[in-house]
């Protein structure tokens, strides 16, 4: 079983939700955050990317985290963010292009993560963990939710569906990429109490997005325990739990800045069948599309070249092993400056633009990793290659904060 807990959320005053809510801090850079927040004093980027209020400063300077804490306090003093007086759950529904997904907003247990009941599928980078650790400590709050998934019991779905049908949302607005965001407050004591029991039927939770936020939140909680400064809330962290069958993973594409050897196609043909194509996106698993010299090529993996393990058979793994490593000697894609990653929301046209501009040499358009792959890898205790998944729509930050209550 896993544990879920209600909490006293810090959240926007109802009329300001659309103005406060912003994209996650880690999908924009400082310049983009500043542009989005321009002219909007309510923008959550003033808290989540507070360097925008300190022009020219290093985003990891200690002053940035202090500014985040000051801005959070100011938002609360102004009444732009309010805190519940009693613990509650929330439902967060996102609808994009006619498809909806509904998550339960709750707190989860750092002990469940330590025990392996909250499963990961990616490694993290220490410098990114340190950034969020500093942000959490300065604000004394989980300032961004972690995107979790689970195999949803029928009783949980029935309770969620009934609440949505019978109650009006507290937030309802359309934001980035024409995504509709709706939030319901669950404050009925009986239903609040029942969720803890219903989640006893859930064996595990899975990190869909937010590995760095998870590691950081857990490490803060464990450090507070070690220092004798822990509280009930610092033993928990903020998460939004979505059923795995409602989620959509988009492709996570690659661009390279490398010399292309004359023998490239000959080398690739050892493991792939290659043909020129007019299609820009793969139509099925095992197919990778390459953009090079203003032309698209389809690379289809040969069956005998596919490993049998859960990680090795992923398209991103096949590309990594047979092309990035074998041909271009790119071993660690997390640190190698010759490779970058482009979320599928930008489309293959962005790959063409990046290559045609001369900024990058070639691009790979990937078929999306599937949720079944993510669960299988996590259940096996294995790790996917970096940047294997891109989830859309993105959960907006600023709608929910979790107060650690350790001041």
């Amino acid at each position: 079983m896993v544990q879920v807990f209600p909490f006293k959320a810090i959240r926007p005053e109802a009329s300001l939700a659309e103005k406060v809510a912003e994209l996650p801090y880690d999908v924009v850079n400082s310049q983009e955050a500043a542009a989005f927040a321009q002219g909007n004093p309510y923008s959550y980027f003033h808290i989540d990317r507070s360097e925008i209020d300190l022009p020219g400063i290093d985003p990891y300077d200690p002053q940035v985290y202090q500014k985040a804490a000051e801005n959070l306090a100011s938002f609360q003093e102004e009444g732009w963010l309010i805190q519940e007086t009693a613990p509650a759950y929330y439902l967060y529904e996102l609808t994009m292009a006619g498809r909806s997904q509904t998550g339960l907003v709750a707190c989860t247990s750092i002990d469940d993560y330590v025990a392996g009941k909250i499963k990961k599928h990616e490694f993290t980078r220490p410098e990114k963990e340190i950034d969020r650790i500093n942000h959490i400590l300065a604000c004394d709050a989980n300032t961004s939710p972690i995107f979790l998934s689970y195999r949803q019991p029928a009783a949980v779905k029935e309770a969620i569906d009934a609440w949505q049908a019978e109650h009006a949302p507290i937030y309802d607005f359309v934001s980035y990429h024409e995504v509709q965001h709706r939030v319901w407050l669950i404050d009925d004591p009986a239903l609040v109490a029942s969720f803890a029991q219903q989640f006893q039927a859930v064996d595990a939770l899975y990190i869909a997005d937010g590995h760095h936020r998870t590691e950081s939140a857990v490490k803060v909680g464990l450090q507070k325990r070690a220092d004798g400064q822990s509280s009930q809330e610092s033993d928990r962290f903020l998460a939004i739990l979505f059923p795995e069958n409602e989620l959509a993973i988009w492709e996570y594409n690659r661009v390279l800045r490398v010399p292309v050897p004359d023998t490239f196609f000959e080398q690739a043909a050892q493991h792939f069948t290659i043909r020129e194509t007019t299609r820009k996106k793969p139509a099925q698993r095992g197919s990778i599309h390459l953009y090079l010299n203003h032309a698209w090529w389809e690379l289809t993996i040969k069956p005998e070249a596919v490993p049998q393990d859960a990680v090795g058979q992923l398209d991103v793994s096949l590309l990594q092993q047979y092309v990035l490593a074998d041909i271009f000697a790119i071993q660690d894609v997390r640190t190698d400056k010759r490779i970058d990653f482009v979320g599928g929301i930008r489309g293959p046209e962005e790959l063409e633009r990046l290559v045609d501009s001369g900024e990058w040499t070639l691009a790979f358009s990937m078929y999306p990793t599937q949720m079944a792959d993510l669960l299988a890898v996590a259940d096996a205790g294995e790790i996917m290659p970096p940047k294997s998944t891109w989830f859309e729509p993105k959960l907006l930050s600023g709608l929910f904060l979790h107060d650690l209550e350790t001041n």
Side-chain angles (χ1 to χ4, degrees), residues 9 24 35 42 46 49 73 104 145 182 190 200 241 243 251 264 319 335 345 372 382 402:
Y42 310 105
H46 293 291
R49 298 300 299 254
L104 178 69
R182 298 201 295 170
Q200 291 181 7
L241 288 60
E251 64 273 18
F264 170 76
L319 177 70
T335 59
I345 191 70
E382 301 290 341
H402 169 228

Side-chain angles (χ1 to χ4, degrees), residues 372-394:
D373 297 322
L374 186 155
L375 299 182
V377 169
D379 283 337
E382 301 290 341
I383 298 296
M384 289 184 176
K387 310 297 185 182
S388 293
T389 58
W390 178 277
F391 285 90
E392 286 289 349
K394 295 296 182 188

Side-chain angles (χ1 to χ4, degrees), residues 3 19 22 40 66 79 81 111 184 217 223 307-308 378 399:
Q3 302 174 82
K19 294 179 180 179
E22 293 287 9
N40 179 13
Q66 183 58 40
L81 292 177
D111 292 318
W184 288 260
Q223 187 59 52
Q308 297 305 303
L399 295 177

Side-chain angles (χ1 to χ4, degrees), residues 53-67:
D53 294 331
L54 301 167
I57 199 168
D58 185 312
Y60 305 115
D61 189 289
Q63 296 177 69
V64 172
Y65 306 109
Q66 183 58 40
K67 187 63 175 176

